[in-house]
């Protein structure tokens, strides 16, 4: 499950606050699987997390949370899978919620519904 | 305190540990096998080594299939050895396999391989290492690698390290059977071999051998004997060696005593150990912690653990100790009980890494991280270390660590650098981060730039957005296309809308960039301010109305896609757009309408219709006007201007403007004569000189030492001055005054000339100018004047106060020999200006005067500024300079003194440049035992110095010394030595590296770029330059590009003077030589070239050829003679040296000399069969050239030619024939031709063809063609065609189409084919025939492929271009 190389993929951190107000809060979003990933190693950025997540289904959105003031990774992030495809379920199967990524055991849990 | 206690405890643990270690010896091999896993985690853990080595091997055979790649692997190995002192067995195996596969290995590569089979592979058992070395040896032997004595010596050392029992007699026999002469090092090692066994008798026989051969016996041999006696258990005899040594004039060194101590330690005899320690203390022998560690090791190894505690108090616990102790801690860590979780061994030792990052230099951190990984203590140690460094904001360390991390094969990612930018405290920090990203080949992404880099710069710097943009661009080379949107987005998200709009106006946004659009839309959603929104989009209209319409379409679509109550958001925008006269494209409008769908209100539809109307035109009043500047005359070059001026004169156009521009240009180019005459011309014309021009003229006069003119110009200038003058010009003028002893006037000028007081002094130019003023006084010992001028310069902020400008202050006292004054002045400089001018000289003065008080004072002052380490090193160099080696050595032996290889290299370089060989030798002498210093580099400088002094014996002795110290010579060093020996016609006792190996130089500086460098082409000139981040190098390259030689030279000087590891590369220097040669600055070009030769480099052959050509036409025969000694035969051939030399002599009016010295001598020395070596033969074209210039030589020449003919060399005859043809003495020509020449297969006549064509001389062409037509020898048809073609060319030039065609017909009948002719010739014939309305009946062959074989005529005569 190692992520090789890195890919220059620019995916700006979405502004949830503006989205919340202005996007059609689609019924789709409600069913999308949103997974909270913790204990990420410092080497993993958004690109790497996306790559990692992609082996469990189609990832529509990935993000590792960085502290803008220090530039350091906070060690957690989110993976959002396309709805209705069962993506990401392999990550949170009971008894198999830890995975190995670049030296760390990461834990994945279903995120609370932000809506 | 706490730490030392814990260390002591650890040391006690060590004794216990050691028992374990002995038992786990076999397990080590497995550990190493496992260690591979981490690099290739994809390999399953089950079938450990087998699949792993296969996986590795698969890649290696693919990539390391050439020599160079093996070289690179070896280089990596070498680096690893230097860094960690160890190599992994696998790497050696892989390399060996690669060498077997490619069936090639150079002599030097073999040497490296052999060396790697000893203690450098600590994880292997001694038996296995011996097996390995035998395998390597056999492989190399099978490949017929030429072995020399250095290989055998290396083998000996490996045997010694492996404690392999071998028979020295057999070894010597093998040597003599190979015809190799054992040297000092060989014998020393054989002695060591006997002594290892405690066999003194055996050692004595070898000693006898050495005595017989009159080889010097040095400390190494004696230390071995001490060990031999000790091993034999005879401590009395061991101690007895010390007086013997002293008798032989050798001082026992710390190695001697340590060997002794270990001997006692083996027996557990602490009393004697303590006694020796005491004696050492009394005898000024410094024992370092490592020595005590050896004693501890011996104690433990021989079962005297209980005695370790008594040694511990002896440890001095200086800096070096920590590192050695850390080594122990590391071994302890390995033994820590493993935390196992989920069947995975968890990394341990994080606390250790934390501590390391906080306290140690980068190399140490990397070293230990790698060790921890290798030993399986912490699988991600390096990565963790990077993380810790970033968190701790130790960014400089982080860069080094990341580099190592990358080297270990890990990917470097954008976000690794975010903490760097987020934590930047100054602009420099930010740029350092960018530099590092560039170096590690992760160019900053948009995200990095927008979210971290640019905000960081805005945070730490005061500049306006466009200043920042400019700086960022010039520092990083990131194109504006990338930077502009990033800056814009950054401004917008920081709510700096107004500056953002201004910025957008200046730099034009591309709204096709979705991220940019998103940022702009974000601002609108945030502020709901349609005015600013439209202003931002509207900037697109500055590029044209259509652009604006397009941008609006894109932006509005973005807004629509992101919001729900669309009309509410979009209507204000539309209204504002209408107001500003910015419209929509039809297609855009359609898309918008579609998107709106049912939300499209009548009002919206109405506005959209209005917006698509073509009546709208953007109202640009909302933006400040921008100006476009036309190109100024001032920007044109002299040649361009002169041409324009001439044309203007011809056409009767006004010339005054041009003349003014031209005068500017002349002043800038410092062309005094032309400037003077033009100035007078203009003055006579009643021209009023503007201030700028006056200032330039003042500068010109100041620099030309024309004091009267300068003064007059200054007076007028000052009278009409309303704006400040350039500082540098004031300084130049003041310098002129100062050097003419007009001090008061000078002070007055400096004090009263108006200048922009807010300006800071800048640039090296200004510094030199200020220094010159001060120095001119200081040299005369005018203390007061110097200080007066200094004060003025400082007060008016005309110079930076630093070592350079302060130097004259101290110097003025030294010149007068007023040492007290100098010291006081120095002290003042330190106190007031934090600078230490003339420190080295003061050191030496006081050392020589044995004035310890004052010396101490200087040391204290220097330490307060530069720190202890720097001062110590400077003091070492001062002691060396004064010949006080003992003192110098003592300082260097200070326990824990940090090694400063950069400082040492710089000094070596200085020694070399200034021919201070003695000091260089002494430096090497006193650093003998200091393994942490880079002795190879020192030796290389020494070698260069010896070669410079043409001392072959000493040069060769460097090679022996390298063997003795077990230092791997680089290919660079070996080729340098080989070239030197070859030049001096001396035998080379090793296999010199092949030419192509030289392209991979192993110096520290080039090492870093090795990976980024492609293989050079034959001439190498188009090879890409290694990338650089050094601003000086960058500036240098820029100035080379724009032909600004002065600036380039300045940069070079500063680079040479700086202690930056980055130096100019071969290509840089070659280009500089070329540019200087083109600018006819031949002296400087030659000097640089000679410098390069002295350093074992040379400009590209192409450049060299060009330079030599220029030198030759300038008649610089002496220079060429000087250069000749430095050129290898290959280079001579490539640069056509002989021809150049001949031309140079002739142009210098020394044709006769050339004839005597070169031609005659060559002929005399001709061998019957030889003469083919181009370096010896006479250049034909040159010989003809001499003859034409010196016709009086003819008879001698003829004689000489006869003589050569007898030796079957026809070059002179050939040139005689050429000569007669050119002189149109056809009788004689015929006579010569009908002699031997006619039957020769290879005849040259290019100069004749040139003559015929240039003068359109039909006679010559006819004669030539007829001669060649009669050739009886086996002459190539191409040669024949060349002569025939020449005639055709001349006929065509004369418009004689019929004759030309007839000749062609005839030649074709005689067997020549059209393809042999130059295509151009045939085309000319065709053209001429068309002119007389005739048809050319042949089809002209297509142009030749450039890669095709060149014609013999061209090839043989290429000497003459």
């Amino acid at each position: 499950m190692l992520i090789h190389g890195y890919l220059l993929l620019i995916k700006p951190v979405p502004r949830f606050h503006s989205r919340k107000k202005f996007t059609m809060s689609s019924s789709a979003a409600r069913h999308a699987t949103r997974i909270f990933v913790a204990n990420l190693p410092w080497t993993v950025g958004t690109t790497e997390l996306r790559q990692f997540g992609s082996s469990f289904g189609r990832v529509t959105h990935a993000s590792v949370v960085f502290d803008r003031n220090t530039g350091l990774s906070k060690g957690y992030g989110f993976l959002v899978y396309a709805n209705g495809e069962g993506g990401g379920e392999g990550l949170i199967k009971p008894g198999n919620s830890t995975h190995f990524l670049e030296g760390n055991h990461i834990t994945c849990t279903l995120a609370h519904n932000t809506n | 305190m706490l730490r030392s206690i814990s260390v002591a405890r650890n040391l006690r643990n060590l004794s216990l540990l050691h028992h374990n270690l002995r038992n786990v010896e076999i397990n080590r091999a497995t550990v190493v096998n496992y260690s591979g896993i981490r690099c290739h985690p994809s390999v399953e853990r089950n079938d450990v080594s087998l699949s792993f080595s296969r996986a590795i091997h698969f890649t290696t055979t693919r990539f390391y299939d050439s020599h160079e790649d093996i070289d690179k692997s070896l280089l990596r190995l070498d680096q690893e050895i230097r860094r960690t002192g160890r190599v992994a067995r696998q790497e050696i195996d892989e390399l060996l396999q690669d060498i077997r596969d490619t069936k090639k290995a150079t002599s030097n590569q073999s040497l490296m391989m052999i060396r790697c089979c000893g203690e450098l592979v600590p994880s292997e058992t001694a038996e296995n290492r011996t097996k390995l070395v035998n395998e390597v040896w056999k492989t190399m032997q099978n490949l017929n690698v030429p072995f020399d004595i250095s290989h055998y010596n290396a083998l000996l050392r490996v045997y010694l390290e492996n404690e392999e029992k071998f028979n020295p007699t057999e070894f010597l026999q093998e040597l003599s059977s190979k015809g190799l002469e054992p040297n000092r090092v060989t014998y020393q090692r054989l002695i060591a071999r006997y002594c290892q066994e405690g066999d003194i008798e055996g050692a004595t026989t070898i000693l006898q051998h050495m005595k017989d051969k009159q080889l010097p016996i040095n400390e190494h041999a004696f230390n071995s004997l001490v060990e031999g006696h000790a091993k034999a258990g005879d401590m009395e005899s061991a101690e007895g060696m010390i007086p013997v040594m002293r008798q032989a004039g050798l001082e026992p060194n710390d190695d001697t005593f340590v060997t002794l101590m270990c001997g006692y330690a083996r027996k557990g005899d602490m009393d004697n150990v303590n006694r020796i320690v005491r004696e050492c203390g009394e005898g000024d022998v410094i024992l370092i912690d490592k020595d005590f560690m050896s004693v501890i090791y011996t104690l433990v190894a021989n079962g005297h653990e209980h005695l370790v505690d008594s040694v511990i108090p002896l440890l001095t616990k200086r800096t070096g100790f920590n590192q050695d102790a850390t080594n122990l801690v590391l071994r302890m860590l390995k033994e820590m009980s493993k935390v196992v979780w989920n069947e995975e061994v968890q990394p341990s030792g994080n606390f250790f890494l934390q501590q390391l990052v906080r306290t140690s230099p980068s190399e140490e951190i990397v070293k230990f991280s790698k060790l921890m990984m290798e030993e399986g203590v912490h699988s991600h140690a390096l990565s963790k270390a990077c993380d810790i460094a970033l968190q701790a904001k130790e960014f400089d360390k982080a860069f080094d660590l990341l580099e190592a991390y990358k080297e270990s094969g890990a990917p470097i990612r954008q976000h690794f650098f975010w903490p760097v930018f987020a934590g930047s405290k100054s602009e420099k920090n930010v740029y350092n981060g960018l530099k590092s990203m560039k170096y590690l080949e992760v160019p900053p992404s948009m995200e990095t730039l927008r979210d971290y880099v640019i905000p960081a710069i805005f945070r730490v710097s005061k500049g306006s957005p466009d200043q920042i943009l400019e700086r960022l661009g010039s520092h990083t080379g990131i194109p504006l296309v990338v930077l502009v949107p990033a800056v814009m987005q950054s401004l917008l998200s920081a709510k700096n809308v107004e500056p953002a709009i201004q910025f957008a106006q200046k730099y034009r946004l591309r709204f096709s960039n979705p991220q940019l659009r998103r940022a702009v839309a974000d601002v609108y959603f945030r502020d709901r301010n349609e005015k600013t929104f439209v202003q931002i989009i509207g900037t697109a209209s500055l590029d044209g109305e259509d652009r604006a319409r397009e941008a609006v379409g894109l932006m509005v679509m973005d807004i629509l896609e992101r919001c729900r109550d669309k009309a509410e958001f979009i209507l204000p925008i539309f209204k504002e757009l209408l107001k500003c006269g910015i419209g929509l494209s039809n297609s855009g409008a359609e898309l918008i309408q579609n998107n709106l769908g049912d939300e499209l209100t009548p009002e919206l539809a109405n506005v959209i219709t209005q917006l698509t109307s073509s009546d709208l035109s953007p109202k640009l009043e909302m933006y400040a006007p921008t100006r476009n500047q036309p190109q100024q005359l001032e920007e044109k070059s002299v040649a361009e201007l002169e041409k324009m001026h001439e044309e203007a004169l011809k056409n009767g156009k006004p010339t005054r403007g041009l003349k003014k521009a031209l005068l500017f240009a002349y002043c800038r180019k410092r062309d005094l004569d032309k400037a003077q005459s033009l100035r007078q011309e203009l003055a006579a014309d009643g021209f009023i000189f503007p201030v700028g021009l006056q200032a330039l003229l003042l500068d010109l006069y100041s620099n030309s030492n024309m004091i009267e003119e300068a003064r007059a110009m200054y007076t007028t200038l000052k009278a009409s001055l309303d704006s400040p003058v350039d500082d540098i010009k004031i300084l130049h003028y003041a310098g002129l005054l100062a050097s003419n002893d007009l001090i008061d006037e000078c002070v007055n000028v400096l004090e009263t000339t108006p200048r922009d007081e807010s300006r800071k002094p800048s640039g090296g130019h200004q510094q030199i100018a200020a220094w010159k003023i001060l120095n001119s006084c200081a040299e005369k010992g005018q203390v007061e004047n110097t200080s007066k001028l200094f004060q003025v310069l400082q007060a008016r902020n005309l110079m930076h106060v630093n070592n350079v400008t302060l130097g004259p202050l101290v110097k003025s006292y030294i010149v007068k020999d007023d040492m007290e004054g100098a010291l006081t002045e120095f002290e003042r400089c330190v106190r007031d200006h934090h600078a230490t001018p003339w420190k080295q000289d003061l050191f030496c003065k006081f050392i020589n005067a044995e004035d310890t008080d004052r010396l101490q004072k200087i040391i204290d002052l220097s330490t307060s500024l530069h720190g202890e380490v720097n001062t110590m090193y400077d003091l070492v160099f001062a002691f060396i300079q004064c010949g006080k080696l003992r003192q110098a050595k003592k300082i260097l032996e200070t326990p824990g003194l940090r090694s400063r290889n950069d400082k040492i290299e710089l000094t070596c370089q200085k020694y070399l440049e200034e021919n201070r060989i003695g000091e260089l030798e002494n430096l090497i002498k006193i650093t003998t035992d200091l393994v942490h210093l880079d002795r190879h580099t020192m030796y290389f400088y020494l070698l260069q110095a010896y070669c410079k002094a043409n001392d072959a014996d000493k040069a060769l002795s460097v090679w022996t010394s390298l063997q003795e110290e077990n230092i791997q010579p680089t290919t660079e060093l070996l080729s340098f030595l080989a070239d030197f020996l070859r030049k001096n016609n001396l035998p080379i006792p090793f296999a010199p590296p092949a030419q192509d190996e030289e392209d991979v130089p192993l110096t520290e500086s080039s090492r870093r770029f090795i990976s980024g460098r492609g293989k050079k082409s034959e001439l190498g000139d188009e090879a890409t330059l290694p990338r650089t981040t050094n601003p000086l190098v960058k500036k240098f390259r820029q100035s080379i590009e724009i032909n600004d030689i002065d600036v380039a030279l300045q940069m070079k000087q500063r680079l040479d003077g700086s202690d930056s590891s980055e130096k100019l590369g071969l290509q840089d220097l070659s280009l500089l030589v070329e540019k200087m040669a083109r600018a006819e600055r031949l002296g400087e070009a030659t000097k640089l070239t000679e410098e390069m030769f002295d350093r074992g480099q040379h400009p590209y052959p192409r450049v060299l050829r060009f330079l030599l050509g220029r030198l030759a036409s300038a008649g610089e025969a002496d220079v060429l003679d000087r250069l000749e000694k430095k050129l290898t035969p290959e280079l001579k051939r490539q640069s056509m040296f002989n021809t150049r030399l001949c031309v140079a002599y002739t142009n210098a009016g020394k044709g006769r000399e050339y004839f005597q010295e070169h031609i005659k001598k060559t002929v005399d020395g001709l061998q019957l069969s030889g003469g083919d070596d181009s370096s010896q033969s006479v250049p034909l074209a040159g010989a003809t050239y001499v003859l034409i210039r010196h016709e009086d030589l003819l008879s001698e020449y003829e004689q000489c030619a006869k003589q050569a003919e007898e030796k079957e060399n026809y070059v002179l005859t050939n040139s005689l024939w050429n000569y007669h043809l050119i002189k149109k003495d056809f009788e004689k020509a015929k006579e010569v031709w009908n002699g031997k020449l006619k039957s020769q297969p290879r005849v040259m006549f290019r100069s004749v063809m040139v003559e015929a064509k240039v003068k359109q001389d039909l006679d010559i062409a006819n004669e030539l063609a007829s001669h060649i037509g009669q050739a009886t020898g086996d002459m190539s048809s191409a040669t024949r065609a060349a002569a025939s073609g020449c005639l055709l060319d001349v006929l065509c030039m004369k418009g004689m189409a019929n004759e030309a065609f007839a000749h062609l017909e005839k030649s074709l009948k005689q067997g020549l084919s059209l393809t042999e002719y130059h295509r151009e010739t045939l085309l000319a014939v065709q053209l001429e025939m068309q002119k007389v309305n005739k048809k050319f009946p042949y089809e002209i062959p297509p142009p030749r492929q450039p890669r095709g074989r060149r014609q013999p005529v061209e090839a043989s005569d290429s000497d003459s271009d």
Side-chain angles (χ1 to χ4, degrees), chain B residues 976-1015:
Chain B
F976 186 85
L977 180 57
D979 277 347
F980 174 74
L981 293 171
R982 213 179 283 130
K983 237 180 280 170
N984 287 282
N985 292 321
L986 289 167
I988 301 167
F990 50 87
Q995 285 290 322
D996 54 345
E997 277 180 65
E998 288 178 46
D999 281 347
V1000 189
L1002 299 183
T1003 55
E1004 273 310 328
S1005 52
S1006 49
R1007 237 175 225 157
R1008 318 192 88 189
F1009 293 110
I1010 240 161
S1011 51
R1013 211 188 222 182
K1015 199 177 164 148

Side-chain angles (χ1 to χ4, degrees), chain A residues 5 28 39 41 57 66 72 75 92 106:
Chain A
N39 199 27
F66 281 84
L72 292 164
I92 46 174
I106 57 172

Side-chain angles (χ1 to χ4, degrees), chain A residues 97-110:
Chain A
S97 57
T98 60
H99 302 266
F100 199 64
L101 179 63
E102 298 200 6
N104 274 24
H105 290 273
I106 57 172
T107 51
C108 307
T109 44
L110 199 61

